Amino acid sequence: MKNFFRILFLITLFVGFQYNSNAAEKIEYLKTDWSFKGLFGKFDRASLQRGYQVYTEVCSSCHSMKYLSYRNLAEKGGPEFTEVQAKAIAASFEVTDGPNADGDMFTRPGKLSDKFVMPYENTKAAQAANGGAYPPDMSVLVKARGGGVDYIYSLLQGYEDPPSGVTLDDGVYYNKFMYGNKIKMANQLSDGLVEYGDGTNSTVEQMSKDVTTFLMWAAEPHLESRHRMGFKAIVYLIILTILVYFSMKKIWSGIKTEV
Amino acid sequence: MSDHEYTPKSNFGKWFNDRLPLLTLANHLTDYPTPKNLNYWWTFGGILTFCLITQIVTGLVLAMHYIAHADMAFDSVEHIMRDVNYGWLIRYIHANGASMFFLAVYIHIFRSLFYGSYKAPREIIWIIGIIIYLLMMAAAFMGYVLPWGQMSFWGATVITNLFSAIPFVGEGIVTWLWGGYSVDNPTLTRFFTLHYLIPFLILGLVVLHIWALHVPGNNNPVGIDVKKPSKDTVPFHPYIVIKDGFALLMFMIVFAFFVFYSPNILGHADNYIEADPLVTPAHIVPEWYLLPFYAILRSVPDKLLGVVAMLSAIFILAALPWLDTSKIRSAVFRPLYRQFYWILVADVLILGYVGAMPAEGLYLLIARVATAYYFLHFLVVLPLLGYKEKTLPIPLSITEPVLGGSPNLATAKNDERLNK
Amino acid sequence: MSEKKTNRRDFLFTATYAVGAVGVGAVVWPMIDQMNPDASVKALASTEVDVSSLNPGKTITVLWRGKPVFIRRRTQEEIAEAKSVKLEDLKDPQKDEDRAKDPEWLVMLGVCTHLGCVPLDQKGDYNGWFCPCHGSHYDTSGRIRKGPAPTNMEIPKYEFVNANTIKIG
């Protein structure tokens, strides 16, 4: 058994090492309780629905989410809008389809199977409309940033007046959580900006939390089933390990050596 | 291969076995006499077989959904993650499986270094192992390119550019590797092809690795030759099978934690940004398992010599059976070697650490010292140690220890002394 | 070794094997299920077709779930012919009323029920469709009349969303 502790130690060391090397340039991010962290972490449905509202009303005018479809909004483990609600959401968007029999493109109301409508035709158009800076696609944004949800959550609340001595060009803003502190996105959130259907007070903090939760789900739509399956898998493995351990002891019982 | 003749019991078995001796092979594998004092460090061979099979199976599945095209690769990975049934699970197993594979292979290699498993008559096993390790690195590198994220793209650019260090023909080779003037779609499709091929080469080499192992039989913690079969050995099945199985399950628990609870911790966030040939990420870092070699590469200020140093660091391992002049295999009986062994382990860990840090200031200095020591260990320390070291008395058999108690206990005691 | 001990040992091994087998099964399933239609494929279950420009006696072919769907605006003669056939004469007896809700419109999967080829329009001995692969003849209602195909061409789920639009699926 002794060897096991050594192996375990080595693995801990290795994991710690990995955390450490990622932590090399860590900034202290704002903290909040994320319901989706931990062994049994789940999304807060109401927060996801509010987050979707913030995304559509605020972010979606510049940021695309090209890997999401409207049907995802009704799927299990997500915001879980009813199918009727999701259909209504989809239908509220004009989707370009075609070519039709005459060879022309046409628009029609969105369907569940459609991908989220993009604010710009392509990257170049997005850059042109935003002073050269491309508003990144948000589908996997949480996973594409080192600090993950904490980073996004902090960034949304990190706008400040630049300290003296820092000069900003036109269209550049100061954000204490941005890498290099200079960001081309202006502060988007202000208290009461969005009117939540469920009566939640839409403070900047609340909106940041909701939209970040929504982005986390967008990046990891199967997070809940992953956690559920993970717990089952590990419990199963532990049971089997115990059984195999005793079987091993039995089998080796006639042999004089340490197992 | 087998030490004794085997005759199947049934008539059909005999008929079949005369034509294709599969049953003899199966009998050899089950009866294969294994030293009974193998400790848990020896279970990593089995664990590695599991890793290889896991990677091949999940890889085949992913290849059914993945599209090897610069415009579609990133999208198809997201398609796997979102829409394919259990696609997220299979991809996370494959991605983390690569890390688990390397974790296991490093333990396997360092076990071999500690117990002198590379020494005569096991040099061929060792060299095949080094080739497998090289192919693993190639497969892992190319696999990392396939999602076509920022790290994929720039990792591919940086690594392929290493070849440009070759005098005269370097530039030509790089263009040839790329199939163009930069990493692009032709590069991606050929990397996918090779990434698909290499695991099967590895599988073939694993068969040779095991074949070569079964000729002299396993080394063991005491490092002395074991008569086989004898009271010092046990048949592979069921004794070693169940022990390997137990260790494998422990390993799978760790594996499962990564897959289900931190699937992205071993990767890099930048790889979730689609490849952009116009923007390089702020920090280009290879996957953790390549970091020590990356540190060696960067510690040399000359382009060509840096590449030479990095490759030498791997190839020097192939010469290890001849660089180590000591006749004693196990470090248990080599008090001085044991100290140097742990210094080497620390050295490699330090190289890995500085490999992840920016190549400047103190980090660069540490990387240079650690690189120098790495080569010193193999080129100076090991050859000299064989002549100078005063080794401990070796038991006559693994069941007749001279140090009191069981040999395994002796190992443990010695290690404890080391920790003081 | 006492008998009692043997039993316990057997039980332990049996339990280990059984639990192990369950795990193998649980791992195999995702590897199989991944080949089933994925979520994005399942979502594309319906398609809408504008039929306003389709004249009697004409057929259009549209793609639905990767397969051709024939939409034919039948003439009065065709309808009369389809309705006049006796059920006893059919290999796969089915009334025309059951196949075409609105007799003017025939909407069916354009896939021969023999081995999946696409039959040709207005060919064959029954003025309907003819499959060139192995010679199956279908009538004006898409029912099998002659040849190796076992059943009539399949009618998918469809509805008229409005006078000009058919929604298939």
Side-chain angles (χ1 to χ4, degrees):
Chain A
M1 278 324 267
K2 198 164 202 153
N3 267 308
F4 269 136
F5 293 113
R6 275 188 239 165
I7 295 177
L8 273 181
F9 170 75
L10 213 94
I11 287 163
T12 333
L13 198 83
F14 155 77
V15 175
F17 209 63
Q18 198 63 32
Y19 270 108
N20 222 340
S21 58
N22 287 349
E25 25 167 341
K26 197 160 266 178
I27 315 164
E28 269 308 308
Y29 293 124
L30 301 177
K31 290 273 174 278
T32 186
D33 289 330
W34 299 111
S35 64
F36 48 81
K37 297 241 159 146
L39 236 53
F40 304 101
K42 276 185 181 170
F43 290 114
D44 172 353
R45 307 271 164 250
S47 180
L48 278 181
Q49 297 198 358
R50 290 194 299 266
Y52 172 71
Q53 190 185 348
V54 176
Y55 167 73
T56 5
E57 291 180 18
V58 185
C59 323
S60 71
S61 54
C62 296
H63 291 276
S64 60
M65 274 186 124
K66 60 180 174 177
Y67 297 118
L68 271 83
S69 304
Y70 295 111
R71 67 184 156 84
N72 296 138
L73 294 172
E75 278 167 7
K76 257 188 82 102
E80 294 188 4
F81 286 105
T82 62
E83 187 152 332
V84 178
Q85 285 174 317
K87 271 185 177 156
I89 289 171
S92 70
F93 292 92
E94 283 288 304
V95 175
T96 307
D97 200 348
N100 61 14
D102 302 323
D104 299 323
M105 300 305 276
F106 58 93
T107 60
R108 56 164 175 81
K111 294 188 287 194
L112 285 182
S113 58
D114 287 319
K115 295 256 169 32
F116 276 23
V117 174
M118 306 226 278
Y120 303 105
E121 291 263 310
N122 49 50
T123 316
K124 284 269 181 278
Q127 281 174 329
N130 289 283
Y134 165 59
D137 183 85
M138 282 181 157
S139 319
V140 282
L141 192 69
V142 168
K143 290 198 279 187
R145 295 292 179 271
V149 279
D150 293 327
Y151 167 76
I152 308 266
Y153 175 71
S154 307
L155 186 87
L156 289 169
Q157 303 173 62
Y159 286 90
E160 276 179 354
D161 289 329
S164 57
V166 177
T167 48
L168 297 171
D169 294 339
D170 246 10
V172 177
Y173 307 88
Y174 188 86
N175 190 308
K176 62 179 168 179
F177 296 108
M178 179 76 182
Y179 183 72
N181 296 126
K182 288 178 183 174
I183 184 167
K184 288 207 171 172
M185 175 174 84
N187 187 8
Q188 298 296 326
L189 298 178
S190 56
D191 287 337
L193 179 71
V194 164
E195 198 176 317
Y196 281 139
D198 61 3
T200 307
N201 192 9
S202 58
T203 58
V204 168
E205 195 189 335
Q206 184 67 40
M207 285 186 288
S208 303
K209 186 169 178 177
D210 290 341
V211 80
T212 309
T213 305
F214 176 72
L215 291 180
M216 182 67 207
W217 165 75
E220 277 284 307
H222 297 292
L223 179 135
E224 287 188 12
S225 38
R226 174 155 62 79
H227 284 177
R228 263 201 315 275
M229 194 188 292
F231 181 72
K232 282 187 217 154
I234 286 166
V235 167
Y236 166 81
L237 282 172
I238 290 172
I239 291 171
L240 185 60
T241 308
I242 292 169
L243 280 172
V244 168
Y245 177 76
F246 285 110
S247 296
M248 179 176 73
K249 281 286 178 200
K250 279 273 180 206
I251 288 172
W252 279 81
S253 59
I255 309 286
K256 254 177 71 185
T257 181
E258 184 202 353
V259 177
Chain B
M1 255 162 79
S2 190
D3 297 309
H4 56 285
E5 282 303 311
Y6 168 73
T7 329
K9 284 190 190 84
S10 73
N11 281 332
F12 175 73
K14 273 199 206 91
W15 179 87
F16 187 89
N17 205 47
D18 285 345
R19 283 149 184 83
L20 181 67
L22 272 187
L23 294 170
T24 303
L25 177 67
N27 178 257
H28 163 79
L29 292 177
T30 46
D31 282 359
Y32 172 66
T34 318
K36 67 179 187 184
N37 62 336
L38 295 188
N39 58 31
Y40 281 103
W41 298 113
W42 258 266
T43 60
F44 281 87
I47 288 171
L48 283 161
T49 314
F50 163 81
C51 287
L52 178 62
I53 291 167
T54 305
Q55 290 306 87
I56 289 180
V57 171
T58 52
L60 280 175
V61 168
L62 290 173
M64 292 182 194
H65 303 282
Y66 171 76
I67 302 168
H69 187 285
D71 295 340
M72 285 178 273
F74 194 86
D75 292 5
S76 71
V77 171
E78 276 309 309
H79 169 66
I80 291 169
M81 292 297 289
R82 286 160 196 277
D83 293 335
V84 173
N85 304 320
Y86 298 104
W88 60 268
L89 173 66
I90 295 161
R91 176 171 174 253
Y92 276 154
I93 290 176
H94 196 72
N96 286 284
S99 281
M100 291 294 123
F101 206 158
F102 274 95
L103 175 67
V105 92
Y106 281 126
I107 295 175
H108 195 61
I109 291 172
F110 276 101
R111 188 270 288 154
S112 189
L113 290 179
F114 189 83
Y115 294 109
S117 302
Y118 50 84
K119 291 185 196 181
R122 296 186 180 82
E123 301 95 322
I124 300 290
I125 312 174
W126 171 255
I127 289 170
I128 293 172
I130 298 295
I131 299 171
I132 292 174
Y133 173 52
L134 273 171
L135 285 176
M136 275 175 66
M137 288 201 277
F141 158 67
M142 290 187 201
Y144 197 55
V145 174
L146 301 184
W148 210 239
Q150 275 288 66
M151 275 294 162
S152 302
F153 183 89
W154 292 101
T157 303
V158 168
I159 301 291
T160 47
N161 262 316
L162 291 179
F163 290 89
S164 69
I166 302 168
F168 309 116
V169 292
E171 291 295 333
I173 289 177
V174 173
T175 311
W176 174 75
L177 281 174
W178 288 341
Y181 302 103
S182 66
V183 173
D184 208 337
N185 194 50
T187 328
L188 177 61
T189 49
R190 66 191 58 179
F191 276 19
F192 178 57
T193 312
L194 294 173
H195 181 72
Y196 203 115
L197 168 72
I198 290 173
F200 296 97
L201 297 181
I202 294 178
L203 191 63
L205 284 166
V206 166
V207 171
L208 295 184
H209 193 63
I210 295 171
W211 187 1
L213 168 72
H214 281 219
V215 176
N218 288 69
N219 184 26
N220 64 76
V222 182
I224 56 170
D225 290 330
V226 172
K227 244 180 73 188
K228 52 173 196 167
S230 71
K231 63 178 167 47
D232 290 348
T233 65
V234 289
F236 191 77
H237 182 76
Y239 294 97
I240 304 298
V241 169
I242 190 89
K243 195 171 168 179
D244 278 2
F246 174 59
L248 174 61
L249 283 164
M250 301 283 278
F251 183 80
M252 282 167 81
I253 292 173
V254 178
F255 195 160
F257 261 105
F258 277 106
V259 168
F260 292 108
Y261 292 108
S262 310
N264 293 308
I265 189 101
L266 297 170
H268 199 289
D270 278 329
N271 226 25
Y272 279 105
I273 303 172
E274 200 169 350
D276 182 352
L278 299 177
V279 186
T280 309
H283 291 286
I284 298 213
V285 186
E287 293 287 79
W288 67 267
Y289 39 80
L290 301 175
L291 287 173
F293 299 105
Y294 192 59
I296 292 175
L297 170 78
R298 294 193 307 183
S299 70
V300 182
D302 181 80
K303 186 170 172 180
L304 176 62
L305 291 180
V307 176
V308 169
M310 183 181 70
L311 293 177
S312 313
I314 304 167
F315 286 112
I316 204 168
L317 292 173
L320 185 59
W322 296 276
L323 288 172
D324 186 346
T325 50
S326 174
K327 291 279 173 280
I328 310 295
R329 292 198 191 100
S330 175
V332 173
F333 305 104
R334 301 182 62 191
L336 264 180
Y337 171 71
R338 212 159 51 213
Q339 317 247 1
F340 282 111
Y341 171 85
W342 288 112
I343 295 174
L344 179 74
V345 172
D347 188 58
V348 172
L349 287 175
I350 289 168
L351 278 172
Y353 183 74
V354 292
M357 296 295 134
E360 55 200 26
L362 186 62
Y363 292 125
L364 191 59
L365 183 70
I366 295 172
R368 286 186 175 153
V369 174
T371 301
Y373 181 77
Y374 181 89
F375 287 104
L376 206 69
H377 175 89
F378 289 105
L379 294 175
V380 181
V381 174
L382 281 188
L384 286 182
L385 219 51
Y387 300 110
K388 302 280 176 205
E389 188 176 27
K390 212 170 128 42
T391 55
L392 303 175
I394 298 172
L396 291 170
S397 90
I398 58 173
T399 39
E400 285 170 38
V402 290
L403 294 171
S406 80
N408 259 339
L409 218 57
T411 321
K413 267 187 192 154
N414 282 323
D415 279 2
E416 266 163 8
R417 201 166 8 152
L418 190 79
N419 291 339
K420 269 175 201 165
Chain C
M1 199 180 289
S2 76
E3 212 159 277
K4 204 176 169 191
K5 210 174 175 187
T6 316
N7 281 340
R8 203 164 68 115
R9 182 174 171 155
D10 283 349
F11 173 73
L12 177 64
F13 291 160
T14 311
T16 311
Y17 275 125
V19 173
V22 169
V24 171
V27 169
V28 167
W29 172 243
M31 302 296 157
I32 294 169
D33 192 36
Q34 53 88 15
M35 278 165 67
N36 278 321
D38 65 49
S40 62
V41 172
K42 283 184 197 150
L44 293 172
S46 70
T47 183
E48 288 183 9
V49 188
D50 179 6
V51 291
S52 56
S53 55
L54 195 62
N55 292 321
K58 294 281 176 222
T59 307
I60 54 168
T61 308
V62 296
L63 201 66
W64 175 67
R65 287 187 176 174
K67 288 180 192 159
V69 172
F70 295 150
I71 301 175
R72 180 162 180 86
R73 190 166 183 183
R74 298 190 294 185
T75 59
Q76 289 309 318
E77 299 86 73
E78 285 171 358
I79 299 170
E81 197 182 329
K83 285 190 190 295
S84 68
V85 179
K86 291 200 198 89
L87 282 185
E88 303 91 85
D89 296 344
L90 294 171
K91 193 173 182 178
D92 178 15
Q94 210 177 10
K95 284 190 199 145
D96 187 58
E97 294 80 23
D98 296 338
R99 293 180 58 79
K101 285 177 232 169
D102 175 349
E104 206 182 344
W105 296 95
L106 179 64
V107 179
M108 67 181 177
L109 272 187
V111 176
C112 178
T113 54
H114 181 218
L115 291 170
C117 297
V118 178
L120 303 171
D121 196 14
Q122 299 301 293
K123 287 265 162 60
D125 299 351
Y126 298 89
N127 302 320
W129 285 265
F130 171 69
C131 181
C133 291
H134 305 94
S136 293
H137 299 257
Y138 297 88
D139 65 14
T140 54
S141 187
R143 292 172 297 198
I144 179 67
R145 301 298 289 273
K146 202 166 99 184
T151 55
N152 304 331
M153 279 195 268
E154 199 184 321
I155 306 290
K157 192 179 148 230
Y158 70 90
E159 61 181 354
F160 275 88
V161 182
N162 54 50
N164 291 329
T165 314
I166 297 178
K167 182 181 166 204
I168 305 169

